[in-house]
Amino acid sequence: MASKEGTAGQAFGPVLAAVATMQGNVSRTEKAHAHEFLEKFQKSVEAWTITHELLQSPDVPVEAKLFAATTLKGKVKRSMIMFDLDQLPAESVPALRDSVMNLLVAFASGPRPIQTQLCVCLASLAIQMTGWKDVLATVGSALGSNAGDCVLEFLRILPEEVTEGRKINLSEDDLILRTKELLEDNAEQVMHLLIQYAQSSRMYTFLKAFTTHSIHILKFIPILATASTNPRLLDCITSWMREIPASKIVESPLLDVILKALDDDVSFEAAVESVCTLYRDTREVDDSLPIIQTLYPRLMSLRPKIAEAAEAEDMDAFRGITRLFAEAGESWVVLIARLPSDFRGLVEAVLECCARDWERDAVSLTFVFWYELKQYVTLERYADARVSYSDVFSKLVDVMVKHLEYPRPEEVVPSS
């Protein structure tokens, strides 16, 4: 295996060498041996200690630290299924949690990939340690000031791990209770925190980070003036939509935050994801009518962005705008068929996205909507919609035929 100068210690020297081999220009056989060694290492008891040593050493390259963070995360997550925590004495698990938090503090300013792995690791521990009742308070206190992005990263990851990591070493009843403790009981508090973060307008303002029942955290997070367009804020809002109802988001200042973020290139993609996640919570249109009535005019005010993105030939923006209109159509297709005069503007906006797609790259995002709408308007009860949208479907056929034309060969420039 390739050697690495500046090895921080004999204990993890072989690990550093194997990581260097995997990234080096060496033979396939050497890489296979290194890969086998690293796989065995990741399953070993010693990995609990050595990963910490790698992450704490100032002489270890960032690639090896990322491997260490990934290994530590993997061991904690495997413990949710395969009892890897049984490799440790029960009394050492709180110490492991504290150690991971200390590592997260050390990497609070990045690199982000390492920070993310540690956040996943800590969230996984939070799920399993059912006696740990003040998770948000503890993490907020540990990170303290100057760690706003890291707090948002942990807040984003926690709902994802709780709701999507279903192979968990807990009984169904314990998992339901733990989900309530981590998400439902904290939803109001997190929403308040996100609103306060987004509304920060001065270069440095301070907000109380976490308060749970009788626990008051005296740490504050400094917020930059650009907080409202921070993609991590948008990602965090989207993640907590698993627990915070769309009605509360729409009635709060967060709706303006999300829509305003569509005007910023940095936050645009994250804002699109937030809006589309809101749509999905309104698919039961009869129950969600007040929400839809609020969202619809705000969505239609974005229609000029279709032409703007097309004229600028900004395909990333064009795909995002197309997705906004197409997924709204998918979610509200029943209302579109039921009330054609009220929702015709949305159908025309989706058609415009198809017509302006100069690269034929975004049009596929609309296919599900057109199929679903066709399914409804062919029913007799929606005959009025079929008549109302007949011209739209006629134009859609023309657009699709145009898109399907074989590209014409370029004109031959006559030789001079």
Side-chain angles (χ1 to χ4, degrees):
M1 295 181 187
S3 61
K4 187 79 176 178
E5 291 187 5
T7 299
Q10 293 297 321
F12 51 75
V15 177
L16 289 180
V19 171
T21 297
M22 292 299 297
Q23 297 176 337
N25 184 19
V26 298
S27 69
R28 183 177 300 178
T29 301
E30 288 179 281
K31 287 198 173 187
H33 289 159
H35 183 266
E36 182 181 357
F37 171 83
L38 292 174
E39 277 194 329
K40 289 181 179 178
F41 166 75
Q42 288 179 316
K43 297 175 183 178
S44 69
V45 177
E46 294 77 16
W48 290 107
T49 302
I50 293 176
T51 51
H52 280 77
E53 293 175 356
L54 286 164
L55 287 163
Q56 291 166 349
S57 174
D59 300 323
V60 171
V62 67
E63 296 83 4
K65 289 189 175 184
L66 178 57
F67 169 77
T70 303
T71 298
L72 187 58
K73 176 209 70 175
K75 290 188 75 64
V76 172
K77 286 184 72 67
R78 278 195 301 274
S79 71
M80 300 168 73
I81 310 169
M82 301 171 63
F83 305 97
D84 263 24
L85 281 183
D86 287 357
Q87 293 179 342
L88 300 174
E91 61 272 15
S92 68
V93 175
L96 172 63
R97 173 200 62 192
D98 295 343
S99 178
V100 172
M101 275 198 289
N102 289 335
L103 289 172
L104 188 57
V105 170
F107 289 96
S109 59
R112 184 172 181 179
I114 296 176
Q115 182 188 100
T116 298
Q117 298 298 312
L118 293 173
C119 283
V120 173
C121 184
L122 193 57
S124 298
L125 284 170
I127 297 169
Q128 297 177 78
M129 297 177 65
T130 55
W132 184 13
K133 302 300 183 182
D134 57 344
V135 172
L136 298 191
T138 305
V139 174
S141 180
L143 289 171
S145 60
N146 301 313
D149 276 358
C150 193
V151 171
L152 290 174
E153 186 74 352
F154 178 76
L155 288 177
R156 175 187 70 82
I157 286 170
L158 183 62
E160 295 175 359
E161 291 300 306
V162 172
T163 58
E164 296 177 9
R166 281 307 178 189
K167 292 183 178 179
I168 296 174
N169 180 25
L170 291 175
S171 69
E172 188 65 26
D173 289 343
D174 286 343
L175 181 57
I176 291 172
L177 177 60
R178 196 59 178 151
T179 300
K180 179 181 182 299
E181 291 174 344
L182 292 175
L183 301 186
E184 183 181 338
D185 292 351
N186 287 312
E188 197 72 31
Q189 171 196 352
V190 169
M191 183 173 172
H192 177 71
L193 171 66
L194 296 177
I195 291 171
Q196 293 299 315
Y197 184 100
Q199 289 181 334
S200 302
S201 57
R202 291 176 294 173
M203 182 57 70
Y204 289 103
T205 59
F206 296 87
L207 62 98
K208 188 171 292 184
F210 299 110
T211 303
T212 55
H213 304 295
S214 61
I215 299 175
H216 297 276
I217 303 304
L218 300 179
K219 299 290 185 179
F220 295 84
I221 302 176
I223 306 301
L224 297 179
T226 56
S228 62
T229 54
N230 183 347
R232 292 201 188 192
L233 170 64
L234 278 299
D235 291 341
C236 193
I237 293 171
T238 302
S239 183
W240 276 86
M241 286 181 194
R242 293 171 171 84
E243 190 60 40
I244 302 173
S247 57
K248 287 193 173 184
I249 299 290
V250 168
E251 293 167 0
S252 77
L254 291 179
L255 179 60
D256 287 335
V257 171
I258 294 169
L259 295 177
K260 183 175 176 57
L262 291 168
D263 295 327
D264 190 287
D265 290 343
V266 174
S267 57
F268 176 79
E269 186 175 346
V272 169
E273 185 62 35
S274 293
V275 175
C276 291
T277 302
L278 273 178
Y279 295 157
R280 294 179 201 126
D281 205 21
T282 63
R283 287 181 179 272
E284 297 295 330
V285 294
D286 292 322
D287 296 334
S288 305
L289 196 55
I291 304 173
I292 296 170
Q293 289 171 336
T294 299
L295 288 175
Y296 183 71
R298 304 294 296 272
L299 172 64
M300 294 312 299
S301 70
L302 300 174
R303 186 172 175 179
K305 289 183 177 292
I306 301 173
E308 291 171 10
E311 290 166 7
E313 296 189 350
D314 185 342
M315 181 48 70
D316 289 338
F318 189 81
R319 282 183 61 87
I321 292 298
T322 299
R323 189 180 167 204
L324 286 176
F325 286 99
E327 293 198 22
E330 290 176 34
S331 297
W332 306 336
V333 66
V334 176
L335 285 179
I336 293 171
R338 189 186 298 167
L339 302 168
S341 59
D342 292 344
F343 287 90
R344 182 181 175 89
L346 177 54
V347 179
E348 291 178 341
V350 179
L351 177 64
E352 182 181 354
C353 291
C354 296
R356 289 185 179 273
D357 186 9
W358 71 99
E359 290 283 357
R360 303 176 181 86
D361 188 52
V363 66
S364 61
L365 298 173
T366 70
F367 289 170
V368 172
F369 165 68
W370 292 120
Y371 173 78
E372 294 288 345
L373 182 59
K374 184 271 297 182
Q375 293 291 88
Y376 278 99
V377 299
T378 52
L379 298 176
E380 190 58 36
R381 74 176 68 176
Y382 299 120
D384 289 345
R386 183 165 63 248
V387 173
S388 178
Y389 294 136
S390 61
D391 63 319
V392 174
F393 276 99
S394 177
K395 292 175 183 177
L396 177 64
V397 170
D398 292 340
V399 168
M400 294 302 175
V401 169
K402 182 68 175 176
H403 283 331
L404 290 171
E405 286 181 357
Y406 194 80
R408 295 180 180 180
E410 295 181 358
E411 293 184 2
V412 178
V413 179
S415 57
S416 54

